[in-house]
Amino acid sequence: MKLLIADDEPSVRSLVHVTLEGDQHTILEASDGVEALAVARSEHPRIVLLDIMMPKLDGLAVCRALKSDPATSGTVVVMLTAQAQERDRDQGLAAGADDYFTKPFSPLALLNMVERVREARPGAGEPAPGPR
Amino acid sequence: MRRLRVQLTVLLAMLGLLVAAWGATIFLGARNAALLNASEQFEVGRFDELRRSAIDFEMKFVDAETNQRDFLLTGNRGARMRYALARRRADERLLRTGVLASTWPTLLLPLERVQTAYVKWAKAAEAEIGARDRYGPGAAAVVVSQGTSQNRFTELRVNHTALEKLLAGLQVAAARQQRSTYQDTQRLALYAAVMILATVTLIFVYLRRAVGAPADALRSASGRLAGGDLDTPVELPVPNELGAVAADLEVMRRRLAGRMDALQRLRDLSASVMGATSLQRLCSVALAGLGPEVGATRAALAAVDQRGQLQLRALAGFDDSDVTEILVKIDEEIRAALPLDDLRDGQVVGVTDVGDLASTAAEPVRELVARMGARSLALVPLVSRGSFVGLLGLFWSERHPLDQEQEALLGLAGNQIAGALAAALRYEEAERAAGEARAVFYAIADGVLLTDPAGRVTAMNRAMELLSGWTEAEVKGMPYAEVLPVEEEGSLPIPAEARPLARAIATGEPASDQGYGVDLVTRDGRKVPVAVSSAPILDPRGGVVGAVDVVRDVSREREIDEVKSALIATVSHELRTPLTLIHGFAELLVLRDMPVERQRAAAEEILEASRRLGRLIDDLLSVSRMESGRLVLNPRPLDLASVVERILSPFRAMAVRHAIRAEVASGLPVVWGDPDKVDQILTNLVGNAIKYSPGGGEVVVSVSVSVALPPELREAGLPDAAARAAGDWGGVEFVKVSVRDQGIGMSPREMGQLFEKFYRVDRDEVRRAGGTGLGLYITKRLVEMHGGRIWAESRLGAGSVFSFTLPSRDDLVGRGSR
């Protein structure tokens, strides 16, 4: 399964990478919003993990762009944010995100979420939001 | 004026005399009548006896004549004896009659005739008897036949009858006379009674004139006085005691009328003092009202101030400005000389000679008294509702002892003036409070607007004028909702009835719109975020008489709010990112079997993230300490050359890709600085230089004596800026430290907010390098706290130079730290 992690912090990308490696996942990386959108459109990852605070284009905008484009609207978008306020979460869900991880997040929870998405639809296609 | 008494005495005496005379008359008359009666009785008795005697006489001589005839005819001896007896008896009776009749002269002649006739008859009768005796019966017959004795007897009888008649007439006359005596007495009594009546009438008339009418007049006059008529004069021109009473009444009436006038004037005074709102006016009015009453020409008014101190507040009638000035100046000394205790008791104090009062007072008071030329003084305490509120002083140029009436008048007037003074003081206080309120109203930084209950603007303060763009004069009377239209977020106009002011007027309770994103639309169409609160203006009975709208421009607060949210977001982000790494890698280490090198990499990530977290917390604490002013420097003399060496050595060890060097000029002055903070400054700058030159290259730290100025001063175009700067800074030398790198550099736009809190250049390389956005902010604050300056020069892609200066003298440390 193809995953995209978009975060301007290399260490966070590295963490996600280390967490998911060895499960036959293809892990794509992007360090800003513009790059994340480009990669998501070209590579069609099943899951996109989006940091909200990113240079050039923030995660919310990327999420809205993905969800409004029929070609990418099926992507499971999971927001990763350091902002724990209700407002941020609401904004994220309003932008169409399927799930929401607050930093610091547990790698185990991330694995579970990925596993649920894979089980829900082994084939590519419909989004399967996991419960929080 | 004892005339009435004298007159009455005389009258009564006269009356007494008259009554006495009347009594005497009656008494004497009665006595007279009684006496007369007694003599008459006596006379009647005698008269009766006389008449009886006369009648007896007649009977005897008739008896004698009868017996004589008998004898003559018969020669009867018995007859002759009887004759003789009768003759003797007749003689006796005649004699007796003569005696008895002697008191009535009118009887004398007839009686004499009777006596003569008797004697003649007796002679004739004797002769006949003798004839018979001697000549016998014949002779006697002859003699008788001659008729001599017969004739003589007839004559006697005639005379006797005449006497009888006379006697009878006399008796009638006597009775008549007796009656006439009674009548006289009656008449006398009647006359006396008439006279007494006349006198009494006279006395009555007199009394009526002299006492009754004046008494009535007095009665009606006193009735008028009692009834309150003081205008009609009491006139009674009678020269007696009643007249005197009337005169007294008139005096009384005049005094009462005077009092009434005074009362009226007092009322006028009261009315005019009540209208006086300023103390100066009150003083003038009091002098104008009281001056003519008591003759005073000047007045001074003092009032008890809020500290309870009597303070001279106004003067009237003082033309001499010098005196006025002195009075005001030596208020304190004057106060000391006043009999304040008496005055506080509400007593009017008259000072006939001001000199006496001043003699014990302080020198300036004596001088003032001498200068003022006032001789007498009255101090009128002003006591309102039992409390001493002030003092009115009245001055006379001439000596003027205060009489009781004036004292009473001044006391009364004092009460009136006290009320007015208390009112004036309250008014003054209210004015002051209103002035304060006005000042507060106009000075207050929030926009304040007042309306009437209908919501029409009555006042608006300066802040509101600035905020709304309207002026107070323009908006008076306008509905406030037109002056201050407000919108909710999303440009929805808020209806007037939903606004706090309308709610406050409707409910009588304060109301506010805060934190709901309310925008005020100004006159020129700008939108200003505002917080609005309103309160009703209530009268003492709780009725709404208006409302106040307070509008605060919260744009700055909004900004601060946004900055604060951004700060929290940033700090949260900066804290959570390393925490995420620590948590994540630690969890992986625990849950996953990983090759050793992987484990090591994870541990390094954790270590780095922990360091980052530590730095962040240090930085945040530093900022907090600096901003709250708790960061204190402990300056010491520092040798910068060795400091730089010490700082650079760990960097040299770690940064293998960088050539780090120090260029230290010789002959550097000793600088003053807090060693820890100078370390921090240098560490930050060198750390940045390494961090932002990821490709490596040279990092040069140069230390030199500074005569050069920061670029902004240089750019000011001063020709000899360096020398001038040296002079401006008092010739104090600075040491300049520059850190130069060959890193990514910055564009001018990126440099704009370089030294501001949480500013991060929004670029990947910068992001990648990590950081809190606090380092340069802290560095700048630390440099400035030392009295130095910091600046940067850079070009995008061509590296940067960060320079700062430190002073060489300790007294400059701290200068320009804020």
Side-chain angles (χ1 to χ4, degrees):
Chain A
M1 197 162 69
K2 228 185 250 179
L3 285 107
L4 169 62
I5 166 70
D7 197 314
D8 58 336
E9 285 283 346
S11 302
V12 175
R13 293 200 298 269
S14 158
L15 176 64
V16 171
H17 214 278
V18 172
T19 304
L20 298 177
E21 73 185 351
D23 282 349
Q24 293 90 45
H25 296 302
T26 309
I27 298 165
L28 306 166
E29 291 186 22
S31 64
D32 64 53
V34 174
E35 193 185 343
L37 199 56
V39 173
R41 280 177 176 154
S42 59
E43 301 289 332
H44 293 287
R46 180 80 186 93
I47 299 171
V48 177
L49 297 170
L50 279 176
D51 183 27
I52 287 181
M53 280 176 80
M54 278 191 300
K56 294 181 185 167
L57 197 62
D58 71 28
L60 294 173
V62 174
C63 175
R64 274 192 291 269
L66 291 176
K67 287 295 177 184
S68 61
D69 183 353
T72 53
S73 65
T75 313
V76 175
V77 179
V78 178
M79 305 307 293
L80 280 182
T81 183
Q83 293 167 347
Q85 282 150 341
E86 284 292 310
R87 201 174 63 135
D88 303 318
R89 196 183 139 167
D90 293 347
Q91 276 180 348
L93 296 180
D98 297 284
D99 207 345
Y100 191 95
F101 281 148
T102 301
K103 292 179 182 176
F105 59 87
S106 160
L108 201 57
L110 181 62
L111 276 173
N112 286 341
M113 187 274 291
V114 171
E115 209 50 44
R116 273 199 310 279
V117 172
R118 191 162 57 178
E119 282 168 9
R121 286 300 299 265
E126 293 309 300
R132 282 287 341 256
Chain B
M1 276 302 201
R2 289 285 169 87
R3 293 187 70 154
L4 189 64
R5 182 183 279 195
V6 171
Q7 283 167 346
L8 282 173
T9 311
V10 167
L11 275 172
L12 284 171
M14 277 172 64
L15 189 63
L17 280 174
L18 268 169
V19 169
W22 187 54
T25 307
I26 288 171
F27 174 75
L28 288 177
R31 184 161 172 265
N32 201 22
L35 282 175
L36 209 61
N37 203 24
S39 75
E40 208 91 337
Q41 285 297 321
F42 173 69
E43 211 140 324
V44 166
R46 254 175 88 140
F47 200 79
D48 283 350
E49 202 182 341
L50 174 62
R51 275 196 77 180
R52 267 195 314 276
S53 176
I55 289 166
D56 260 9
F57 167 62
E58 189 184 10
M59 281 166 63
K60 294 310 173 211
F61 83 69
V62 169
D63 193 23
E65 195 262 348
T66 305
N67 284 308
Q68 184 246 357
R69 264 177 191 273
D70 196 7
F71 171 68
L72 281 176
L73 288 171
T74 65
N76 189 346
R77 279 292 177 203
R80 177 148 176 197
M81 270 176 62
R82 282 193 297 272
Y83 160 72
L85 186 66
R87 267 289 313 272
R88 244 189 349 263
R89 291 269 169 87
D91 285 350
E92 281 170 22
R93 290 290 183 269
L94 186 59
L95 193 65
R96 173 90 185 130
T97 301
V99 172
L100 284 171
S102 62
T103 43
W104 289 281
T106 49
L107 292 175
L108 288 178
L109 191 60
L111 189 60
E112 208 177 279
R113 276 191 196 129
V114 170
Q115 279 169 336
T116 310
Y118 179 69
V119 171
K120 275 185 187 165
W121 169 73
K123 215 189 240 172
E126 271 312 302
E128 284 176 348
I129 293 192
R132 181 157 198 251
D133 280 347
R134 267 172 285 130
Y135 308 116
V142 171
V143 173
V144 173
S145 66
Q146 284 176 349
T148 305
S149 77
Q150 192 77 45
N151 287 343
R152 291 289 183 262
F153 185 71
T154 304
E155 197 177 332
L156 175 59
R157 290 215 55 169
V158 168
N159 277 322
H160 190 269
T161 304
L163 180 64
E164 281 262 291
K165 272 187 183 166
L166 189 60
L167 277 177
L170 268 177
Q171 197 166 12
V172 171
R176 263 190 204 141
Q177 194 182 348
Q178 194 175 12
R179 207 162 54 240
S180 126
T181 305
Y182 277 118
Q183 280 175 347
D184 285 350
T185 308
Q186 274 177 348
R187 205 171 297 131
L188 194 62
L190 189 67
Y191 290 156
V194 168
M195 271 189 69
I196 286 171
L197 195 65
T199 310
V200 166
T201 309
L202 267 173
I203 289 174
F204 177 75
V205 168
Y206 170 78
L207 281 179
R208 257 203 77 78
R209 270 204 50 196
V211 181
D216 282 352
L218 269 182
R219 170 75 192 91
S220 74
S222 68
R224 278 201 309 274
L225 283 183
D229 175 7
L230 296 177
D231 298 330
T232 314
V234 180
E235 277 171 346
L236 193 64
V238 290
N240 58 22
E241 285 89 335
L242 291 176
V245 169
D248 286 352
L249 266 182
E250 171 64 7
V251 170
M252 219 161 95
R253 181 194 70 82
R254 286 204 189 128
R255 289 183 81 158
L256 271 175
R259 291 270 172 89
M260 288 301 288
D261 275 2
L263 273 176
Q264 179 64 42
R265 284 195 296 274
L266 206 60
R267 221 181 65 187
D268 293 348
L269 173 70
S270 161
S272 53
V273 296
M274 276 305 167
T277 48
S278 82
L279 269 61
Q280 181 54 54
R281 173 104 191 94
L282 180 61
C283 186
S284 304
V285 168
L287 178 65
L290 284 174
E293 295 293 327
V294 294
T297 52
R298 283 177 278 186
L301 181 67
V304 175
D305 64 16
Q306 279 157 337
R307 290 169 298 137
Q309 188 82 273
L310 194 63
Q311 205 93 42
L312 179 66
R313 294 296 304 273
L315 295 168
F318 286 85
D319 304 326
D320 189 347
S321 65
D322 281 3
V323 171
T324 310
E325 210 170 285
I326 298 172
L327 264 173
V328 174
K329 206 186 291 172
I330 64 164
D331 195 24
E332 179 81 43
E333 286 86 347
I334 294 172
R335 192 161 47 234
L338 293 176
L340 280 174
D341 287 344
D342 285 350
L343 293 169
R344 281 183 199 285
D345 287 348
Q347 213 172 307
V348 175
V349 177
V351 181
T352 308
D353 195 336
V354 180
D356 290 348
L357 180 70
S359 64
T360 54
E363 174 60 28
V365 179
R366 290 206 295 278
E367 217 167 87
L368 172 75
V369 167
R371 191 152 183 173
M372 209 161 59
R375 280 299 305 277
S376 292
L377 161 70
L379 298 168
V380 184
L382 306 177
V383 178
S384 173
R385 292 181 191 169
S387 71
F388 181 68
V389 292
L391 180 63
L392 178 70
L394 292 170
F395 299 88
W396 284 263
S397 306
E398 309 301 326
R399 197 181 140 80
H400 182 93
L402 214 56
D403 66 27
Q404 219 174 352
E405 202 166 324
Q406 288 180 345
E407 200 177 296
L409 177 76
L410 290 180
L412 275 175
N415 291 343
Q416 309 291 337
I417 296 167
L421 175 63
L425 288 174
R426 279 198 298 279
Y427 182 77
E428 209 173 57
E429 175 57 26
E431 281 279 276
R432 200 187 56 72
E436 273 178 13
R438 233 185 341 265
V440 168
F441 175 72
Y442 283 112
I444 205 160
D446 288 344
V448 184
L449 172 139
L450 300 179
T451 72
D452 61 14
R456 282 186 297 268
V457 179
T458 56
M460 184 160 125
N461 74 350
R462 303 281 170 262
M464 190 65 105
E465 288 183 343
L466 289 175
L467 186 62
S468 67
W470 294 90
T471 65
E472 188 180 21
E474 288 169 333
V475 300
K476 274 195 176 169
M478 276 173 68
Y480 82 103
E482 284 180 23
V483 179
L484 303 175
V486 285
E487 287 180 351
E488 268 178 296
E489 256 174 333
S491 299
L492 290 170
I494 300 175
E497 64 274 11
R499 298 179 57 166
L501 188 114
R503 300 206 306 267
I505 290 174
T507 62
E509 299 284 335
S512 64
D513 261 356
Q514 276 173 355
Y516 298 112
V518 177
D519 285 338
L520 172 73
V521 182
T522 66
R523 191 181 193 181
D524 53 17
R526 280 183 304 118
K527 291 182 184 176
V528 181
V530 290
V532 183
S533 58
S534 293
I537 302 169
L538 303 174
D539 66 15
R541 292 183 313 280
V544 176
V545 294
V548 56
D549 211 22
V550 180
V551 179
R552 168 181 288 179
D553 175 356
V554 294
S555 27
R556 176 94 188 109
E557 286 162 40
R558 287 260 180 100
E559 263 171 41
I560 289 171
D561 231 31
E562 276 159 20
V563 167
K564 207 169 79 185
S565 296
L567 174 63
I568 288 170
T570 306
V571 170
S572 170
H573 186 265
E574 294 302 328
L575 284 170
R576 282 171 187 277
T577 300
L579 213 53
T580 304
L581 298 174
I582 293 169
H583 184 116
F585 282 110
E587 197 176 302
L588 286 176
L589 280 176
V590 171
L591 294 177
R592 280 259 176 94
D593 287 332
M594 283 190 292
V596 174
E597 59 274 20
R598 279 277 189 208
Q599 288 180 2
R600 187 181 166 80
E604 272 172 5
E605 289 281 5
I606 292 172
L607 188 64
E608 177 49 33
S610 309
R611 283 202 190 110
R612 197 167 145 187
L613 213 49
R615 278 200 305 278
L616 179 68
I617 289 167
D618 282 349
D619 285 355
L620 284 173
L621 289 177
S622 290
V623 169
S624 162
R625 271 205 300 277
M626 280 190 295
E627 290 187 343
S628 64
R630 279 181 290 129
L631 191 73
V632 183
L633 295 184
N634 298 307
R636 272 188 271 152
L638 296 175
D639 172 15
L640 268 186
S642 59
V643 171
V644 167
E645 265 320 304
R646 181 165 51 73
I647 294 296
L648 289 186
S649 59
F651 282 112
R652 280 192 182 115
M654 279 164 57
V656 288
R657 277 185 291 173
H658 293 84
I660 301 172
R661 100 185 137 72
E663 287 175 0
V664 181
S666 58
L668 285 177
V670 169
V671 297
W672 283 79
D674 183 313
D676 292 345
K677 305 297 178 284
V678 173
D679 279 6
Q680 201 177 342
I681 294 166
L682 274 169
T683 306
N684 277 347
L685 291 181
V686 175
N688 275 354
I690 292 168
K691 193 154 84 179
Y692 295 112
S693 48
E698 251 189 349
V699 173
V700 181
V701 180
S702 59
V703 184
S704 61
V705 176
S706 166
V707 284
L709 287 174
E712 61 264 34
L713 286 185
R714 240 175 11 224
E715 283 158 16
L718 300 172
D720 195 3
R724 196 173 289 231
D728 280 353
W729 289 74
V732 175
E733 290 176 309
F734 283 81
V735 171
K736 185 178 94 170
V737 180
S738 294
V739 180
R740 193 176 71 235
D741 65 56
Q742 293 171 325
I744 58 174
M746 289 169 287
S747 67
R749 195 178 57 82
E750 289 170 336
M751 282 172 69
Q753 294 168 293
L754 194 59
F755 294 102
E756 284 186 21
K757 198 160 48 173
F758 293 115
Y759 175 76
R760 303 288 306 280
V761 170
D762 196 3
R763 230 177 335 139
D764 276 357
E765 298 103 305
V766 179
R767 292 256 163 198
R768 218 166 283 129
T772 59
L774 289 172
L776 280 178
Y777 173 75
I778 293 167
T779 305
K780 180 175 159 56
R781 292 288 297 251
L782 288 175
V783 169
E784 286 175 350
M785 283 175 79
H786 279 86
R789 301 183 65 85
I790 186 167
W791 66 97
E793 295 155 281
S794 180
R795 268 193 309 130
L796 192 60
S800 309
V801 183
F802 282 80
S803 306
F804 68 95
T805 58
L806 288 176
S808 65
R809 237 170 61 181
D810 67 333
D811 58 350
L812 285 171
V813 172
R815 197 169 132 170
S817 69
R818 294 220 68 85

